[in-house]
Amino acid sequence: MNSDRTISMKKMGSIYNTLALINRLLLMTSAWNVLVSFIEADFWHFTEPSALGLKLVPAFGLFFAFLLPGFFFFSGRIWNFRLQLSWQLTFAMIEPILLLISALPALDELPSFRTCALGFGTLLLPFVVRFCRPTYDIQVGCEFFLVIFVSMCVRWSSHAVNVFYEEWRVGTTIICVSGIISVIQVIMNNVMDVNKMISEQQSRDEVLTTTEMITETPPNEMSTPVTNSVRSDIEDIDITDYHKESEGSVNLYPMLPPSEGSDDTESCSIKNTRDDKPSTSKWSHSLAILFMTPGIASFLMLFIQFFSSPAQLARWAGLRANPFGIFVVFCCTISFLFILMSRCQFGAFFKSMSDVKHECGGGLGANESNGGDYVNPWNVFWSIFPSFCCIVFFVTGWVLLLNSEKTGAVTGLCMICLSVPYVFVHVIDVYVQSSSRAHVGVRAISHITGSFIFFVLLTALTSFNLPTLTNIFFGRMSLILAAMLVCICLAVVVASMVTVRNNATSARRASLSRYHHQSRFPFVDLSSSAGGEVATFVAVIVCTLVITSAVSYRSSAVLSCREPTEARIAGNYDSNANNSTILRAMSWNILLGHTYTGRDNSACIAQVLRHFGPSVVGLQESDPLPVFWGGKDVLGALENELSVEGFRSHEGVPAMKSTLGVALMSRLNLISHEARLLPGRGFVKLPHYGYTRTVFELPTSKFPLYVINVHAVYKNWTIGNFTELSTIQLKKIADVTNNVTHQRAPVIVLGDFNLNPEERQLDALWTTAGLKCVYHKTRSMLNESTILNRFGNVDHIFYRNLDLIEGRIVAEAGRVSDHYPILADFVMPT
């Protein structure tokens, strides 16, 4: 009868564990993307066209959203506060609800409201994690990395666009699925008496937990055989933290069913001791989490900046998003699956070896009089060696990625993706175990310190592109990454030391397989319940890859254009569109992949390009790869949607050179393409500007077409006057224009020059390069503006050796960007 009941409890426990794990992954994915979306939404207030520059309210909001929760955790009551299951699940739903609210089309014109909603979610994020997931164990690191992996794959399907922030259906789906699972959890808790089952399991585990606390302290008494009577005699052991973790009702963390083959009597011996200084262990764990905190903050920023999507990491490596984005997913998948499988396979292998060595106290340093205390070199080796290898791979990979091209960059990319899952999971596992035993005040200090370091790293990454605050990090990604890698290496060293320290245990503790993961080596022996979680992890990975792959390769776009652009351009029939006898050129500053109010504009851009069908289009501000601009691969999204129309993208200056982005899309056959920075040395308070020089084959001409796409400095920048720099950059463009192989070849120079036609900086193009302008034959202003936030004609198309048909400003595109696209039609050269 008891056997049947045990089997029934295990089956019920497996179902409950699986549901709880899936629900946790959904809610943690929402929480993670609330943080990522908040950074993008908040920084929009610094880059929006109507208020370019630093704004104090968003800056303070970002700072306090990160740091404020840590101060509440100084209170022991708040730290140990618990909610009933139904309230836990309700409270955790705050994150996906706020994510859904921020994605609603009704808020498209209200960027400040979206920022406030996401900021509130970021502020509550630590409380949601703490109150709704108060119990930690070895799987925390795996869960966290799986959340990052799932988010990365979801954004892979949208070509790096943040669909969690842009598409309300994603938030709705998360809420519906999580709501259904939550209802089932509550029913199981109320109807199937899950509380009683967990209470029984806790009573089974209490002795094992007490034994672990004993064996962790230095011995001061002789060894005693462990029997039921001895267990009942153990008193005054400080296991407050462990009991606090298990108090209260069921939480989102799954219950643990009884282990198979448990035995109430043991033949081996352990130290039945008390710690003369009970606070020593707490202070050692407290010190450990303080040293690991900068590394964890660096990991989080590394994931947000480089791993929010596979395309983002590939583009930072100077590689094309396709196929190297797939390569990133493949390497991360292989590495993560290896970690999950090794926890079952290697753990069982080393357990069997250790049980033979340590039975009844055997092991290095053990003898008949000391009762079996030892430090096993084999376990020490496996505590250090994997971490050492992975951190060497990790650092070497970043060095190759920063300093190599093509083959070296691919090698570095592979090394990073193969090593980062293990390093991150190992550090997180050790951190949460030490955190559960550290002082409450130190945990709060750790949270505040980590949040502050995270904020500093975000500021440094912002300064990499925008040196308005400081020029220390401007264009120096190697310096920022070096600081991150130092913090990560320190965290790995401390984590390995903590693991080695836990290896100095009694022989009896080594035989307690349930706690092998806390005392022996990173590859752990899991219980049957944890093994079920590993199976769930694998199933989630497989389902994620299948679904995102199917969505990624479908023909239609993931997002739709929210601006009423289609209605305006649909009735405007253009007979020159897609006309093979017409050479149509277009230029468009696309505002870092955002609409005028901060939404993604890639779908709207694709809609306009599809309608007007240009032969070549120059894009400025086309690389919003930094996290504060959304970490988006706009070119990849446009190429995916327009590939049927024959468009191919040609990337601009590599992201590591710190530029706003300048790129090209074309339907012509490519001969050569290069991208370079415009002169800017000595002007340290400005972003980098660039240009591309591309040569195309014309189907009806023996001469090639030269297209130069320019994004030049705005000489009246908010921090000063840069007339001199503007003059230098336009002279450079004139020199590039004149440096063509065939002087009779057609040349088009287009882009955002940030200059009105009458300004003398353009003299270099009019006179030195001998170009004509499509719109300003007399260098006078038009009645139409090419920009939305002020009146100006700063976007131009110049040409040479071509016959102009007409040119115009495409104002019907609307507020897709802060610039209107401009186009010009030429007779196709023969």
Side-chain angles (χ1 to χ4, degrees):
M1 188 69 178
N2 290 334
S3 176
D4 293 339
R5 183 172 180 273
T6 301
I7 294 174
S8 176
M9 290 171 62
K10 285 190 175 184
K11 290 181 179 179
M12 190 184 306
S14 298
I15 296 173
Y16 188 90
N17 289 350
T18 302
L19 292 174
L21 177 58
I22 294 174
N23 200 14
R24 260 194 337 275
L25 291 174
L26 287 170
L27 297 174
M28 289 174 65
T29 300
S30 300
W32 172 253
N33 284 282
V34 162
L35 172 61
V36 176
S37 302
F38 173 57
I39 293 174
E40 178 183 356
D42 191 82
F43 270 85
W44 173 250
H45 300 286
F46 305 143
T47 54
E48 60 178 319
S50 60
L52 189 64
L54 179 65
K55 298 179 72 175
L56 293 180
V57 174
F60 280 119
L62 191 75
F63 182 80
F64 285 114
F66 288 163
L67 266 72
L68 190 60
F71 290 96
F72 288 93
F73 290 146
F74 277 106
S75 171
R77 288 188 176 183
I78 294 179
W79 178 264
N80 296 312
F81 182 72
R82 298 293 182 270
L83 293 169
Q84 295 295 324
L85 177 62
S86 57
W87 285 108
Q88 284 183 24
L89 297 171
T90 302
F91 186 57
M93 291 293 287
I94 290 177
E95 300 296 327
I97 289 174
L98 291 174
L99 196 62
L100 170 62
I101 290 174
S102 68
L104 291 174
L107 299 183
D108 285 353
E109 302 298 318
L110 301 172
S112 296
F113 194 92
R114 299 198 305 265
T115 303
C116 290
L118 293 170
F120 184 61
T122 302
L123 182 69
L124 292 180
L125 195 153
F127 300 102
V128 171
V129 174
R130 179 59 194 166
F131 296 161
C132 302
R133 198 186 191 286
T135 304
Y136 299 100
D137 84 336
I138 194 65
Q139 301 289 45
V140 175
C142 289
E143 287 185 18
F144 201 164
F145 187 80
L146 185 55
V147 165
I148 295 169
F149 178 81
V150 170
S151 300
M152 181 175 68
C153 289
V154 170
R155 292 188 62 170
W156 170 36
S157 67
S158 63
H159 296 275
V161 175
N162 187 359
V163 292
F164 295 95
Y165 178 48
E166 302 289 348
E167 180 53 70
W168 62 271
R169 295 179 183 86
V170 176
T172 302
T173 302
I174 293 176
I175 291 174
C176 292
V177 175
S178 181
I180 293 172
I181 295 176
S182 298
V183 170
I184 297 175
Q185 284 185 256
V186 173
I187 292 175
M188 290 184 68
N189 181 56
N190 295 334
V191 177
M192 301 181 183
D193 202 8
V194 176
N195 274 330
K196 182 178 180 181
M197 295 166 58
I198 293 183
S199 178
E200 292 178 0
Q201 177 59 35
Q202 288 174 348
S203 65
R204 288 173 179 264
D205 296 340
E206 184 177 4
V207 173
L208 297 181
T209 303
T210 305
T211 304
E212 179 198 14
M213 296 299 294
I214 294 171
T215 56
E216 192 177 55
T217 60
N220 60 2
E221 294 184 22
M222 295 182 63
S223 59
T224 306
V226 178
T227 62
N228 285 334
S229 59
V230 172
R231 288 176 175 172
S232 63
D233 290 338
I234 297 176
E235 298 175 351
D236 301 328
I237 303 300
D238 183 10
I239 55 174
T240 306
D241 285 345
Y242 290 88
H243 283 301
K244 285 180 179 178
E245 296 294 340
S246 61
E247 287 174 359
S249 61
V250 181
N251 51 65
L252 290 181
Y253 197 79
M255 61 184 182
L256 296 174
S259 301
E260 296 182 6
S262 59
D263 194 355
D264 291 336
T265 61
E266 306 292 345
S267 59
C268 296
S269 59
I270 66 167
K271 301 288 185 181
N272 177 14
T273 65
R274 302 176 187 177
D275 196 347
D276 293 332
K277 297 179 179 180
S279 63
T280 303
S281 178
K282 277 195 172 186
W283 280 114
S284 63
H285 287 296
S286 299
L287 192 62
I289 66 172
L290 289 178
F291 277 107
M292 285 187 284
T293 295
I296 293 176
S298 299
F299 261 127
L300 297 182
M301 182 51 66
L302 203 68
F303 286 134
I304 293 177
Q305 177 63 66
F306 297 103
F307 285 85
S308 66
S309 74
Q312 187 187 29
L313 182 58
R315 290 289 308 280
W316 277 107
L319 305 169
R320 291 187 66 86
N322 191 10
F324 291 103
I326 302 175
F327 181 72
V328 170
V329 174
F330 174 78
C331 291
C332 289
T333 303
I334 294 299
S335 178
F336 192 40
L337 288 176
F338 176 77
I339 293 174
L340 294 175
M341 295 299 99
S342 64
R343 286 171 180 259
C344 295
Q345 302 299 327
F346 290 154
F349 170 73
F350 289 123
K351 174 183 180 296
S352 63
M353 293 184 61
S354 181
D355 287 345
V356 173
K357 286 184 178 182
H358 302 153
E359 187 171 356
C360 299
L364 181 64
N367 53 51
E368 295 178 359
S369 62
N370 65 15
D373 261 8
Y374 63 93
V375 176
N376 189 331
W378 183 254
N379 292 337
V380 172
F381 173 79
W382 281 106
S383 297
I384 298 176
F385 181 72
S387 301
F388 175 78
C389 292
C390 287
I391 200 63
V392 170
F393 258 60
F394 188 65
V395 175
T396 305
W398 281 110
V399 173
L400 289 174
L401 188 144
L402 288 172
N403 301 286
S404 305
E405 295 182 1
K406 296 182 179 179
T407 304
V410 173
T411 304
L413 198 68
C414 179
M415 296 175 72
I416 292 170
C417 295
L418 290 176
S419 58
V420 69
Y422 174 81
V423 177
F424 175 72
V425 169
H426 177 53
V427 171
I428 291 295
D429 286 344
V430 176
Y431 178 86
V432 295
Q433 292 170 33
S434 296
S435 179
S436 65
R437 306 174 192 176
H439 287 278
V440 173
V442 177
R443 287 193 290 249
I445 294 173
S446 173
H447 185 282
I448 296 171
T449 303
S451 300
F452 180 77
I453 294 174
F454 185 86
F455 183 83
V456 171
L457 290 174
L458 180 59
T459 304
L461 287 170
T462 306
S463 301
F464 170 75
N465 286 90
L466 302 173
T468 306
L469 294 177
T470 177
N471 59 2
I472 297 176
F473 303 104
F474 181 48
R476 300 175 181 173
M477 184 59 73
S478 58
L479 181 61
I480 301 173
L481 279 172
M484 291 185 183
L485 293 177
V486 168
C487 294
I488 290 172
C489 289
L490 176 62
V492 172
V493 170
V494 173
S496 299
M497 291 173 61
V498 171
T499 307
V500 170
R501 175 183 178 275
N502 289 336
N503 281 334
T505 62
S506 67
R508 174 65 194 98
R509 181 177 179 183
S511 68
L512 298 176
S513 61
R514 173 165 184 158
Y515 297 104
H516 277 191
H517 66 272
Q518 295 180 351
S519 61
R520 299 183 54 203
F521 39 77
F523 298 123
V524 299
D525 178 26
L526 299 177
S527 66
S528 58
S529 174
E533 291 187 1
V534 170
T536 305
F537 285 152
V538 174
V540 170
I541 292 173
V542 172
C543 291
T544 299
L545 291 176
V546 170
I547 295 173
T548 54
S549 297
V551 174
S552 177
Y553 289 101
R554 70 177 188 176
S555 58
S556 59
V558 176
L559 301 178
S560 58
C561 180
R562 294 183 176 182
E563 287 288 325
T565 304
E566 184 176 12
R568 286 194 294 264
I569 65 177
N572 184 17
Y573 175 71
D574 193 337
S575 60
N576 290 338
N578 303 309
N579 189 336
S580 61
T581 64
I582 300 295
L583 176 63
R584 169 165 287 185
M586 178 181 282
S587 176
W588 199 355
N589 184 315
I590 59 175
L591 191 58
L592 297 163
H594 294 86
T595 65
Y596 201 80
T597 56
R599 287 296 196 191
D600 179 80
N601 64 2
S602 58
C604 297
I605 295 171
Q607 192 175 83
V608 173
L609 296 184
R610 184 182 293 109
H611 177 80
F612 290 100
S615 305
V616 59
V617 54
L619 302 174
Q620 303 86 43
E621 297 188 15
S622 57
D623 271 344
L625 290 176
V627 58
F628 48 86
W629 286 330
K632 300 187 289 187
D633 179 23
V634 175
L635 290 179
L638 292 176
E639 185 174 27
N640 176 71
E641 190 165 351
L642 297 171
S643 59
V644 177
E645 284 78 13
F647 281 94
R648 296 293 180 267
S649 65
H650 310 290
E651 297 176 359
V653 180
M656 286 294 180
K657 292 188 177 181
S658 175
T659 176
L660 300 177
V662 55
L664 222 65
M665 295 195 72
S666 174
R667 296 189 295 171
L668 303 174
N669 293 329
L670 179 69
I671 297 177
S672 65
H673 174 75
E674 64 177 3
R676 300 183 183 276
L677 291 176
L678 284 169
R681 186 178 298 275
F683 298 87
V684 295
K685 288 294 185 181
L686 283 175
H688 283 156
Y689 292 86
Y691 71 94
T692 63
R693 180 182 180 274
T694 313
V695 185
F696 293 105
E697 177 184 335
L698 291 174
T700 60
S701 174
K702 63 179 180 180
F703 295 112
L705 171 67
Y706 290 84
V707 178
I708 300 170
N709 182 26
V710 181
H711 187 207
V713 65
Y714 176 41
K715 69 175 186 177
N716 297 317
W717 194 261
T718 55
I719 56 176
N721 187 287
F722 294 95
T723 302
E724 180 185 357
L725 179 60
S726 179
T727 303
I728 294 172
Q729 291 185 352
L730 268 295
K731 287 182 178 179
K732 174 66 177 179
I733 296 301
D735 293 340
V736 173
T737 304
N738 289 328
N739 186 23
V740 297
T741 305
H742 306 280
Q743 294 301 317
R744 295 175 57 190
V747 178
I748 297 176
V749 181
L750 47 74
D752 177 8
F753 295 85
N754 279 308
L755 293 167
N756 287 313
E758 77 278 3
E759 297 189 71
R760 63 179 180 84
Q761 287 75 33
L762 288 174
D763 290 349
L765 300 183
W766 291 93
T767 58
T768 305
L771 298 174
K772 300 178 183 178
C773 187
V774 170
Y775 313 103
H776 313 285
K777 296 180 177 62
T778 60
R779 299 191 66 168
S780 58
M781 295 283 288
L782 299 177
N783 294 328
E784 293 181 89
S785 176
T786 64
I787 49 181
L788 278 70
N789 62 325
R790 67 185 189 279
F791 187 87
N793 297 153
V794 298
D795 300 276
H796 306 285
I797 299 178
F798 293 90
Y799 65 98
R800 188 172 69 194
N801 300 330
L802 285 168
D803 295 326
L804 177 67
I805 298 176
E806 66 171 346
R808 66 189 183 92
I809 299 171
V810 188
E812 57 265 36
R815 299 202 304 169
V816 173
S817 172
D818 63 334
H819 289 242
Y820 292 125
I822 59 174
L823 63 81
D825 290 336
F826 304 95
V827 176
M828 182 68 73
T830 57

